[in-house]
Amino acid sequence: MGTHNGLNSAQQELFHIIIMGVSGCGKTTVAEALAARMGVGVADADSFHLKSNKDKMAAGIALNDHDRLPWLKQLRDWMGREDVAGNHSVMSCSALKRSYRDILRDALGNVVHIQLDVDRDTTLERMTNRKGHFMPPSLLDSQLETLEPLGDDELGFIVDNTRPLDEVLDVIQEKLEDMGALATIWLN
């Protein structure tokens, strides 16, 4: 389980939180609620995908690293622009592989990954019941196989997302505060 107990004092003060995990784990819901609680901007990484990537996934074809690279760079650059503008941010993004997270960590500021943990059956049920999303439930197993959990040396942590949303947000807030993150911007 990835945990990081503190921040390098030389690091910048702005934080960019990425809510990560497989499709259907609740990333967008948690990211939007966390951003609202914190009073900061939020982005859904899915909105940065090229149409060709969305079409590919909608057809049941998993993206490869070549497909994802321009998308990851756009996400990194968005966080960088937020940082330059003096803004903290929250983003929902699968960030399934460490190599993807490494690209995102190159953004300006402190990038914190929060991995949402949900069992396969609950995730599949959520995917099956949602409407209008391009990612079909048939790609869940591909995502689960690709997922590389946060490492102990990565800035971030794993949270169980099978509890009520307010409880999940409380756990995230507590863990961020324990890390020393966001002490100056947390808005309740």
Side-chain angles (χ1 to χ4, degrees), residues 17 29 33 36 79 86 91 104 122 133 144 151:
I17 299 169
T29 299
M79 288 185 288
M91 177 185 293
L104 297 171
T122 301
H133 197 278
L144 289 168

Side-chain angles (χ1 to χ4, degrees), residues 144-176:
L144 289 168
E145 290 168 11
T146 302
L147 177 63
E148 297 173 1
L150 284 174
D152 289 338
D153 60 334
E154 292 185 85
L155 184 59
F157 49 88
I158 299 172
V159 174
D160 173 14
N161 192 33
T162 59
R163 296 178 273 186
L165 180 59
D166 282 339
E167 288 180 28
V168 172
L169 295 176
D170 289 345
V171 168
I172 290 171
Q173 180 174 350
E174 181 179 320
K175 287 179 177 275
L176 287 170

Side-chain angles (χ1 to χ4, degrees), residues 84-103:
V84 167
N87 300 323
H88 300 278
S89 68
V90 175
M91 177 185 293
S92 61
C93 176
S94 55
L96 297 177
K97 289 185 178 182
R98 184 184 183 111
S99 61
Y100 305 163
R101 296 189 296 270
D102 288 343
I103 292 168

